[in-house]
Amino acid sequence: MASIAQQQFAGLRCPPLSTSHLARRASALGASSLPTSRSSRKSNFIVSAATISNAQTKERQELKQLFEDAYERCRTAPMAGVPFTAKDFIAALDNYDFNSEIGTKVKGTVFMTDANGAFVDITAKSSAYLPLQEASIHKLKHVEEAGIVPGMREEFVIVGENEDDDSLILSLRMTQYDLAWERCKQLQAEDVIVKGKVVGANKGGVVAVVEGIRGFVPFSQISSKLTADELLDKELPLKFVDVDEEQSRLVFSNRKAMADSQAQLGIGSVVTGTVQSLKPYGAFIDIGGINGLLHVSQISHDRVADIATVLQPGDTLKVMILSHDRERGRVSLSTKKLEPTPGDMIRNPKLVFEKAEEMAQTFRQRIAQAEAMARADMLRFQPESGLTLNSDGILGPLTSDMPAEGLDLGELPPEED
C-alpha cells in the first residue's frame, strides 16, 4: 500500500512561492500576523529594551537636574518666590500656638455637647473637653443649663490633660470662682446685706452659700433660735465678717444683718412679708428675716373670729410697722391701719395692698399732727423756754409771726386708734 501511494503522489509537486507574493501577503495581513523565527523575535526584544532603557535614563537625568536646581535655590535663595517673609510665618504660628500648661487661659469655641460635658475647639492639635463639673460654679445636670451650647465662644482655663488622647481638660468654674471672690470683696466693702442658703451644718455653726461660694456662719452669729437641722435649706440675711481668698475663708454674721435690718424699720413704714405660722392670738410674719407679730386685733377694723379665714401660712402680704422693740427683738405689725374702709382686709385684701402706701402716708401724717399737738401743749405750759412750733410743727425759737397765744391746732384731725 505504501508503494502504491508513493507512486501515485510521486508526480505531484507544489510550485515555489515567489518573494513578491510573500510581500503582498504580509502587506495585506500585517507584519504581526506573519510567523517569525526565534532569531527575529530576539532581535525585536533587544531593540525594545534599548528604547525603554534610554527613556528611563532620560527621565532620571531630568529628575536629578530638578533636585539639583531645587537644592541650589534652597542653599542660595531660600525665600525666593515665597509670598511672605520669615517674620510673617512666625507671626502666623503665634496665632495658632499657645501655652498648654495648667492654669493657662485660652479662648475656645464649643462645637459639640454630650451628657458629661462639651467639646471645645481651641485651635490646638486636638480638641479640648469641658467636663460637667467644671462647667459652672453651681451644680448642673447638663451643660446647657449654664448656657453652654455649640457656637458659644468663651475664655477657659486649662486644668489638666487626658492621657488617653493627649487632649486638654478645660474649666469655666475656676474663672467664675475668681469672679465670685472679687464680688464678695466688693460686697464686704459696701457693707451690704446678702441672702445665703444654708446647705450644711457642723458643731460650730452652719454652712451657707453666697455668690456660689460656701461660707461659715457661727452659731454665735445666728439670731434665730432654730436648730441647725431646722435651718437647712433656709435663706438667711447675712453680712460679711471675713473674706480671705488666699486662705479660702469666708465668714458671715446673721446677727449683724438682722441688727441693720431692724434699724431700718421705721414706725409707719410699709413692708412686704410672708405668713410663717398662725396662732390663736395672731399671725407671725417674716419681714426680711425678722419675725413680726400681726395681732388678731390689728388685722381688720371688723372682728376676726378665725384668723385662718383671712390668712394662711405662705401668704404674701403688705403690713405696716406699728412698733419696734430693738432690745427685745419684737416688731408689731398692722393691716388694720392700711384699710381704706373698715373691713376691707376681710372682704377685699387686694385693695388693701394696692392702697397700702397711700394709707400709710395718711397714718404718718396723723402721727406727726398728734406729735405737734403734744409739743404745742407742752409749750403753753413753758413759755419761758423761748421756743415754739412753726406752721410745719417743727420746734424752734419764738418768731414775730407766731401769735403769743400759740398755734390753733383745733382743726387738726383727731388721732385714730
Side-chain angles (χ1 to χ4, degrees), residues 153-227:
R153 184 167 178 80
E154 190 57 79
E155 186 177 65
F156 301 86
V157 178
I158 300 174
V159 295
E161 184 176 357
N162 191 337
E163 296 180 355
D164 295 336
D165 56 5
D166 294 333
S167 62
L168 297 176
I169 300 175
L170 306 179
S171 174
L172 283 175
R173 186 180 65 88
M174 289 189 65
T175 302
Q176 297 174 1
Y177 195 69
D178 294 339
L179 293 175
W181 276 107
E182 292 299 324
R183 177 62 175 160
C184 288
K185 293 175 184 177
Q186 179 183 359
L187 293 173
Q188 183 189 31
E190 296 174 357
D191 196 31
V192 299
I193 298 175
V194 297
K195 286 292 187 70
K197 184 177 181 180
V198 178
V199 296
N202 53 39
K203 294 181 179 180
V206 298
V207 178
V209 176
V210 175
E211 296 291 330
I213 303 178
R214 290 173 172 249
F216 182 64
V217 189
F219 282 128
S220 61
Q221 293 297 319
I222 299 177
S223 61
S224 174
K225 296 181 180 179
L226 298 177
T227 64

Side-chain angles (χ1 to χ4, degrees), residues 194-415:
V194 297
K195 286 292 187 70
K197 184 177 181 180
V198 178
V199 296
N202 53 39
K203 294 181 179 180
V206 298
V207 178
V209 176
V210 175
E211 296 291 330
I213 303 178
R214 290 173 172 249
F216 182 64
V217 189
F219 282 128
S220 61
Q221 293 297 319
I222 299 177
S223 61
S224 174
K225 296 181 180 179
L226 298 177
T227 64
D229 292 337
E230 292 172 335
L231 288 172
L232 282 176
D233 296 327
K234 292 185 179 297
E235 286 192 343
L236 297 177
L238 303 169
K239 294 197 75 173
F240 292 91
V241 176
D242 188 14
V243 179
D244 190 340
E245 182 178 2
E246 293 182 358
Q247 300 296 327
S248 297
R249 184 170 60 244
L250 194 60
V251 182
F252 303 107
S253 173
N254 171 246
R255 284 189 178 276
K256 289 186 176 182
M258 296 294 287
D260 285 1
S261 297
Q262 292 176 1
Q264 297 172 3
L265 296 179
I267 306 302
S269 59
V270 177
V271 294
T272 301
T274 304
V275 178
Q276 295 296 306
S277 61
L278 301 179
K279 301 295 181 183
Y281 50 85
F284 284 97
I285 313 295
D286 177 15
I287 49 175
I290 302 173
N291 281 329
L293 175 63
L294 176 62
H295 195 271
V296 63
S297 64
Q298 287 296 329
I299 294 177
S300 176
H301 284 86
D302 290 356
R303 183 176 179 273
V304 178
D306 184 6
I307 300 176
T309 60
V310 183
L311 301 172
Q312 286 293 323
D315 288 352
T316 300
L317 71 166
K318 289 183 177 181
V319 293
M320 190 178 71
I321 307 295
L322 277 185
S323 64
H324 182 199
D325 187 344
R326 291 182 174 84
E327 292 182 358
R328 304 176 66 180
R330 293 182 178 179
V331 180
S332 297
L333 308 173
S334 176
T335 53
K336 174 181 176 179
K337 303 297 184 184
L338 302 178
E339 288 184 323
T341 56
D344 282 344
M345 189 61 194
I346 299 174
R347 295 186 298 269
N348 191 3
K350 184 178 179 180
L351 177 64
V352 176
F353 303 149
E354 289 177 353
K355 299 286 186 178
E357 283 74 14
E358 180 181 340
M359 296 304 298
Q361 179 64 24
T362 302
F363 177 80
R364 289 191 292 269
Q365 290 175 353
R366 289 173 177 172
I367 292 293
Q369 292 169 354
E371 291 176 349
M373 292 176 65
R375 292 192 189 98
D377 290 340
M378 181 185 67
L379 291 176
R380 288 191 183 101
F381 293 99
Q382 297 178 348
E384 68 278 1
S385 65
L387 300 176
T388 186
L389 292 174
N390 60 21
S391 58
D392 295 326
I394 300 175
L395 188 64
L398 184 64
T399 59
S400 59
D401 60 345
M402 178 67 67
E405 62 274 12
L407 287 175
D408 181 10
L409 302 177
E411 297 181 359
L412 294 177
E415 181 182 0

